[in-house]
């Protein structure tokens, strides 16, 4: 233990200081993504703290998604969460690539429905009446790990000729490159939820696991291009709002 660590142990409550020290180990690169992390015993011996304190800190880091406990194997360092900037529309595909991971998509559902036969909320958000819609459900993965369950509804008039194959990549790129649409803004509502039933199963987490539900209308000019209700795994994503000037507009990146 370094002199700096020793001073921290004197000044701060034991659990709090150990929590900070172990997080520093992750940030400084002593333990990389996928590495086996220190055990309860190793923490107690290295930092001269009690094993209950070490256990409490480890449990907290596991619950936050910083570490993953594998029964009978050990505790491992989780990949850093993907960022979601609520001021900027950035495609999932590009975000995952920027994080050094490989994006992939599974199209779970793609069908035509009538707006009059679906939920009133969908027709109201899209401002369509007695028209056909495409109902789309996609699972988005980063390095084969499911992180987003996306449900989206779009007008068949706007997205004429859309096929299941078209939905394998970035939806933003599809809008721009095939349909000549510039997505200018998004009206979003973000709510914390607990994953249940089939949703939890698809995202490969336990029932009751935390998630963020984003309900949003995407606009091209004044026209609603889509309505979505998308679930983001709580252990895979963090939402943030960057500092900006009052003049900053929402940007759409590829």
């Amino acid at each position: 233990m370094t002199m700096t660590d020793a001073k921290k142990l004197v000044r701060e409550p034991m659990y709090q200081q150990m929590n900070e020290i172990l997080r520093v180990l992750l940030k400084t690169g002593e333990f990389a993504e996928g590495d086996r992390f220190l055990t309860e015993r190793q923490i107690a011996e290295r930092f001269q703290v009690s094993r209950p304190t070490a256990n409490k800190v480890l449990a907290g880091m596991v619950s936050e998604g910083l570490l993953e406990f594998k029964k009978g194997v050990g505790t491992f360092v989780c990949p850093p969460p993907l960022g979601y900037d609520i001021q900027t529309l950035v495609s999932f595909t590009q975000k995952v690539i920027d994080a050094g991971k490989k994006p992939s998509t599974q199209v779970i559902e793609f069908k035509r429905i009538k707006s009059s036969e679906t939920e009133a909320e969908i027709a109201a958000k899209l401002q369509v009446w007695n028209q056909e819609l495409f109902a789309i459900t996609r699972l988005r993965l980063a390095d084969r790990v499911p992180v987003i369950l996306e449900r989206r509804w779009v007008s068949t008039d706007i997205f004429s000729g859309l096929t299941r194959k078209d939905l394998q990549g970035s939806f933003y790129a599809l809008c721009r490159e095939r349909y000549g649409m510039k997505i200018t803004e998004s009206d979003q509502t973000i709510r914390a939820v607990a994953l249940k039933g089939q949703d939890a199963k698809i995202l490969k987490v336990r029932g009751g696991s935390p998630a963020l539900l984003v309900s949003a209308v995407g606009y091209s000019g004044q026209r609603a291009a889509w309505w979505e209700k998308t679930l983001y795994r709580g252990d895979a994503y963090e939402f943030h709002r960057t500092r900006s000037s009052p003049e900053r507009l929402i940007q759409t990146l590829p």
Side-chain angles (χ1 to χ4, degrees), residues 113-118 126-133 155-158 223:
I113 60 173
K114 291 184 178 180
S115 59
S116 59
E117 297 175 350
T118 189
L126 291 175
Q127 290 294 293
V128 293
W129 318 104
N130 299 317
Q131 296 180 29
E132 279 198 333
L133 304 174
S155 169
T156 57
D157 288 344
I158 298 177
R223 189 176 191 181

PDB file of all heavy atoms in Angstrom, residues 113-118 126-133 155-158 223:
ATOM      1  N   ILE A 113     -48.800  -3.242 -39.986  1.00  0.00           N
ATOM      2  CA  ILE A 113     -49.997  -3.158 -39.160  1.00  0.00           C
ATOM      3  C   ILE A 113     -50.780  -1.916 -39.579  1.00  0.00           C
ATOM      4  O   ILE A 113     -50.224  -0.998 -40.190  1.00  0.00           O
ATOM      5  CB  ILE A 113     -49.655  -3.076 -37.654  1.00  0.00           C
ATOM      6  CG1 ILE A 113     -48.796  -1.840 -37.375  1.00  0.00           C
ATOM      7  CG2 ILE A 113     -48.967  -4.346 -37.188  1.00  0.00           C
ATOM      8  CD1 ILE A 113     -48.554  -1.594 -35.897  1.00  0.00           C
ATOM      9  N   LYS A 114     -52.050  -1.873 -39.237  1.00  0.00           N
ATOM     10  CA  LYS A 114     -52.854  -0.693 -39.508  1.00  0.00           C
ATOM     11  C   LYS A 114     -52.845   0.204 -38.280  1.00  0.00           C
ATOM     12  O   LYS A 114     -52.987  -0.271 -37.157  1.00  0.00           O
ATOM     13  CB  LYS A 114     -54.294  -1.104 -39.850  1.00  0.00           C
ATOM     14  CG  LYS A 114     -54.423  -1.828 -41.182  1.00  0.00           C
ATOM     15  CD  LYS A 114     -55.882  -2.126 -41.496  1.00  0.00           C
ATOM     16  CE  LYS A 114     -56.005  -2.817 -42.861  1.00  0.00           C
ATOM     17  NZ  LYS A 114     -57.434  -3.115 -43.187  1.00  0.00           N
ATOM     18  N   SER A 115     -52.680   1.487 -38.513  1.00  0.00           N
ATOM     19  CA  SER A 115     -52.615   2.425 -37.394  1.00  0.00           C
ATOM     20  C   SER A 115     -53.902   2.411 -36.577  1.00  0.00           C
ATOM     21  O   SER A 115     -53.878   2.622 -35.368  1.00  0.00           O
ATOM     22  CB  SER A 115     -52.337   3.842 -37.906  1.00  0.00           C
ATOM     23  OG  SER A 115     -53.356   4.270 -38.811  1.00  0.00           O
ATOM     24  N   SER A 116     -55.023   2.119 -37.228  1.00  0.00           N
ATOM     25  CA  SER A 116     -56.311   2.097 -36.527  1.00  0.00           C
ATOM     26  C   SER A 116     -56.448   0.882 -35.618  1.00  0.00           C
ATOM     27  O   SER A 116     -57.323   0.849 -34.753  1.00  0.00           O
ATOM     28  CB  SER A 116     -57.456   2.106 -37.544  1.00  0.00           C
ATOM     29  OG  SER A 116     -57.360   0.983 -38.414  1.00  0.00           O
ATOM     30  N   GLU A 117     -55.602  -0.115 -35.827  1.00  0.00           N
ATOM     31  CA  GLU A 117     -55.705  -1.352 -35.053  1.00  0.00           C
ATOM     32  C   GLU A 117     -54.619  -1.469 -33.980  1.00  0.00           C
ATOM     33  O   GLU A 117     -54.573  -2.456 -33.258  1.00  0.00           O
ATOM     34  CB  GLU A 117     -55.620  -2.557 -35.991  1.00  0.00           C
ATOM     35  CG  GLU A 117     -56.765  -2.612 -36.985  1.00  0.00           C
ATOM     36  CD  GLU A 117     -56.601  -3.742 -38.002  1.00  0.00           C
ATOM     37  OE1 GLU A 117     -55.509  -4.363 -38.043  1.00  0.00           O
ATOM     38  OE2 GLU A 117     -57.558  -3.994 -38.748  1.00  0.00           O
ATOM     39  N   THR A 118     -53.767  -0.470 -33.893  1.00  0.00           N
ATOM     40  CA  THR A 118     -52.684  -0.526 -32.920  1.00  0.00           C
ATOM     41  C   THR A 118     -52.987   0.406 -31.755  1.00  0.00           C
ATOM     42  O   THR A 118     -54.066   1.006 -31.670  1.00  0.00           O
ATOM     43  CB  THR A 118     -51.341  -0.158 -33.575  1.00  0.00           C
ATOM     44  OG1 THR A 118     -50.287  -0.425 -32.657  1.00  0.00           O
ATOM     45  CG2 THR A 118     -51.312   1.310 -33.974  1.00  0.00           C
ATOM     46  N   LEU A 126     -47.250   9.607 -34.195  1.00  0.00           N
ATOM     47  CA  LEU A 126     -46.868   9.701 -35.608  1.00  0.00           C
ATOM     48  C   LEU A 126     -47.821  10.573 -36.425  1.00  0.00           C
ATOM     49  O   LEU A 126     -47.539  10.893 -37.574  1.00  0.00           O
ATOM     50  CB  LEU A 126     -46.798   8.304 -36.230  1.00  0.00           C
ATOM     51  CG  LEU A 126     -45.659   7.405 -35.749  1.00  0.00           C
ATOM     52  CD1 LEU A 126     -45.789   6.010 -36.347  1.00  0.00           C
ATOM     53  CD2 LEU A 126     -44.298   8.006 -36.111  1.00  0.00           C
ATOM     54  N   GLN A 127     -48.953  10.923 -35.799  1.00  0.00           N
ATOM     55  CA  GLN A 127     -49.966  11.721 -36.484  1.00  0.00           C
ATOM     56  C   GLN A 127     -50.414  11.054 -37.783  1.00  0.00           C
ATOM     57  O   GLN A 127     -50.436  11.665 -38.858  1.00  0.00           O
ATOM     58  CB  GLN A 127     -49.436  13.134 -36.767  1.00  0.00           C
ATOM     59  CG  GLN A 127     -49.257  13.997 -35.520  1.00  0.00           C
ATOM     60  CD  GLN A 127     -50.581  14.326 -34.853  1.00  0.00           C
ATOM     61  OE1 GLN A 127     -51.409  15.049 -35.404  1.00  0.00           O
ATOM     62  NE2 GLN A 127     -50.810  13.777 -33.655  1.00  0.00           N
ATOM     63  N   VAL A 128     -50.742   9.763 -37.676  1.00  0.00           N
ATOM     64  CA  VAL A 128     -51.232   9.015 -38.837  1.00  0.00           C
ATOM     65  C   VAL A 128     -52.567   8.366 -38.462  1.00  0.00           C
ATOM     66  O   VAL A 128     -52.730   7.847 -37.362  1.00  0.00           O
ATOM     67  CB  VAL A 128     -50.227   7.932 -39.283  1.00  0.00           C
ATOM     68  CG1 VAL A 128     -48.971   8.576 -39.820  1.00  0.00           C
ATOM     69  CG2 VAL A 128     -49.887   6.985 -38.130  1.00  0.00           C
ATOM     70  N   TRP A 129     -53.490   8.390 -39.406  1.00  0.00           N
ATOM     71  CA  TRP A 129     -54.811   7.835 -39.148  1.00  0.00           C
ATOM     72  C   TRP A 129     -55.215   7.002 -40.357  1.00  0.00           C
ATOM     73  O   TRP A 129     -55.111   7.438 -41.499  1.00  0.00           O
ATOM     74  CB  TRP A 129     -55.822   8.956 -38.902  1.00  0.00           C
ATOM     75  CG  TRP A 129     -55.255  10.039 -38.041  1.00  0.00           C
ATOM     76  CD1 TRP A 129     -54.823  11.269 -38.436  1.00  0.00           C
ATOM     77  CD2 TRP A 129     -54.985   9.966 -36.635  1.00  0.00           C
ATOM     78  NE1 TRP A 129     -54.322  11.968 -37.388  1.00  0.00           N
ATOM     79  CE2 TRP A 129     -54.415  11.201 -36.255  1.00  0.00           C
ATOM     80  CE3 TRP A 129     -55.178   8.986 -35.661  1.00  0.00           C
ATOM     81  CZ2 TRP A 129     -54.022  11.476 -34.952  1.00  0.00           C
ATOM     82  CZ3 TRP A 129     -54.794   9.262 -34.363  1.00  0.00           C
ATOM     83  CH2 TRP A 129     -54.232  10.495 -34.018  1.00  0.00           C
ATOM     84  N   ASN A 130     -55.655   5.783 -40.082  1.00  0.00           N
ATOM     85  CA  ASN A 130     -56.088   4.872 -41.156  1.00  0.00           C
ATOM     86  C   ASN A 130     -54.986   4.657 -42.198  1.00  0.00           C
ATOM     87  O   ASN A 130     -55.239   4.639 -43.405  1.00  0.00           O
ATOM     88  CB  ASN A 130     -57.358   5.395 -41.838  1.00  0.00           C
ATOM     89  CG  ASN A 130     -58.526   5.501 -40.876  1.00  0.00           C
ATOM     90  OD1 ASN A 130     -58.741   4.598 -40.060  1.00  0.00           O
ATOM     91  ND2 ASN A 130     -59.257   6.597 -40.945  1.00  0.00           N
ATOM     92  N   GLN A 131     -53.769   4.510 -41.720  1.00  0.00           N
ATOM     93  CA  GLN A 131     -52.635   4.235 -42.592  1.00  0.00           C
ATOM     94  C   GLN A 131     -51.920   2.981 -42.108  1.00  0.00           C
ATOM     95  O   GLN A 131     -52.128   2.532 -40.984  1.00  0.00           O
ATOM     96  CB  GLN A 131     -51.651   5.405 -42.595  1.00  0.00           C
ATOM     97  CG  GLN A 131     -52.210   6.697 -43.151  1.00  0.00           C
ATOM     98  CD  GLN A 131     -51.179   7.799 -43.117  1.00  0.00           C
ATOM     99  OE1 GLN A 131     -49.977   7.549 -43.190  1.00  0.00           O
ATOM    100  NE2 GLN A 131     -51.617   9.047 -43.003  1.00  0.00           N
ATOM    101  N   GLU A 132     -51.081   2.442 -42.984  1.00  0.00           N
ATOM    102  CA  GLU A 132     -50.288   1.276 -42.596  1.00  0.00           C
ATOM    103  C   GLU A 132     -48.959   1.718 -42.002  1.00  0.00           C
ATOM    104  O   GLU A 132     -48.380   2.727 -42.419  1.00  0.00           O
ATOM    105  CB  GLU A 132     -50.026   0.365 -43.807  1.00  0.00           C
ATOM    106  CG  GLU A 132     -51.177  -0.540 -44.141  1.00  0.00           C
ATOM    107  CD  GLU A 132     -50.744  -1.699 -45.034  1.00  0.00           C
ATOM    108  OE1 GLU A 132     -49.751  -1.544 -45.776  1.00  0.00           O
ATOM    109  OE2 GLU A 132     -51.389  -2.752 -45.000  1.00  0.00           O
ATOM    110  N   LEU A 133     -48.501   0.927 -41.031  1.00  0.00           N
ATOM    111  CA  LEU A 133     -47.223   1.182 -40.387  1.00  0.00           C
ATOM    112  C   LEU A 133     -46.369  -0.067 -40.448  1.00  0.00           C
ATOM    113  O   LEU A 133     -46.885  -1.185 -40.558  1.00  0.00           O
ATOM    114  CB  LEU A 133     -47.426   1.565 -38.914  1.00  0.00           C
ATOM    115  CG  LEU A 133     -48.337   2.736 -38.589  1.00  0.00           C
ATOM    116  CD1 LEU A 133     -48.518   2.833 -37.072  1.00  0.00           C
ATOM    117  CD2 LEU A 133     -47.773   4.033 -39.144  1.00  0.00           C
ATOM    118  N   SER A 155     -44.138   4.967 -40.694  1.00  0.00           N
ATOM    119  CA  SER A 155     -45.165   4.952 -41.731  1.00  0.00           C
ATOM    120  C   SER A 155     -44.651   4.249 -42.983  1.00  0.00           C
ATOM    121  O   SER A 155     -43.516   4.467 -43.413  1.00  0.00           O
ATOM    122  CB  SER A 155     -45.571   6.387 -42.074  1.00  0.00           C
ATOM    123  OG  SER A 155     -46.367   6.419 -43.253  1.00  0.00           O
ATOM    124  N   THR A 156     -45.495   3.409 -43.574  1.00  0.00           N
ATOM    125  CA  THR A 156     -45.101   2.742 -44.814  1.00  0.00           C
ATOM    126  C   THR A 156     -45.050   3.735 -45.976  1.00  0.00           C
ATOM    127  O   THR A 156     -44.387   3.481 -46.985  1.00  0.00           O
ATOM    128  CB  THR A 156     -46.088   1.612 -45.164  1.00  0.00           C
ATOM    129  OG1 THR A 156     -47.417   2.163 -45.258  1.00  0.00           O
ATOM    130  CG2 THR A 156     -46.075   0.522 -44.111  1.00  0.00           C
ATOM    131  N   ASP A 157     -45.726   4.881 -45.820  1.00  0.00           N
ATOM    132  CA  ASP A 157     -45.665   5.910 -46.860  1.00  0.00           C
ATOM    133  C   ASP A 157     -44.282   6.555 -46.888  1.00  0.00           C
ATOM    134  O   ASP A 157     -43.710   6.783 -47.958  1.00  0.00           O
ATOM    135  CB  ASP A 157     -46.726   6.990 -46.608  1.00  0.00           C
ATOM    136  CG  ASP A 157     -48.131   6.494 -46.887  1.00  0.00           C
ATOM    137  OD1 ASP A 157     -48.269   5.449 -47.555  1.00  0.00           O
ATOM    138  OD2 ASP A 157     -49.086   7.138 -46.438  1.00  0.00           O
ATOM    139  N   ILE A 158     -43.744   6.842 -45.712  1.00  0.00           N
ATOM    140  CA  ILE A 158     -42.429   7.482 -45.642  1.00  0.00           C
ATOM    141  C   ILE A 158     -41.327   6.487 -46.004  1.00  0.00           C
ATOM    142  O   ILE A 158     -40.395   6.806 -46.732  1.00  0.00           O
ATOM    143  CB  ILE A 158     -42.176   8.046 -44.235  1.00  0.00           C
ATOM    144  CG1 ILE A 158     -43.201   9.127 -43.904  1.00  0.00           C
ATOM    145  CG2 ILE A 158     -40.752   8.599 -44.120  1.00  0.00           C
ATOM    146  CD1 ILE A 158     -43.067   9.695 -42.499  1.00  0.00           C
ATOM    147  N   ARG A 223     -41.962  16.900 -39.612  1.00  0.00           N
ATOM    148  CA  ARG A 223     -42.682  15.637 -39.787  1.00  0.00           C
ATOM    149  C   ARG A 223     -42.129  14.555 -38.877  1.00  0.00           C
ATOM    150  O   ARG A 223     -40.908  14.370 -38.781  1.00  0.00           O
ATOM    151  CB  ARG A 223     -42.567  15.181 -41.243  1.00  0.00           C
ATOM    152  CG  ARG A 223     -43.456  13.993 -41.595  1.00  0.00           C
ATOM    153  CD  ARG A 223     -43.338  13.672 -43.075  1.00  0.00           C
ATOM    154  NE  ARG A 223     -44.360  12.723 -43.489  1.00  0.00           N
ATOM    155  CZ  ARG A 223     -44.484  12.244 -44.720  1.00  0.00           C
ATOM    156  NH1 ARG A 223     -43.642  12.644 -45.667  1.00  0.00           N
ATOM    157  NH2 ARG A 223     -45.444  11.397 -45.021  1.00  0.00           N
TER     158      ARG A 223
END
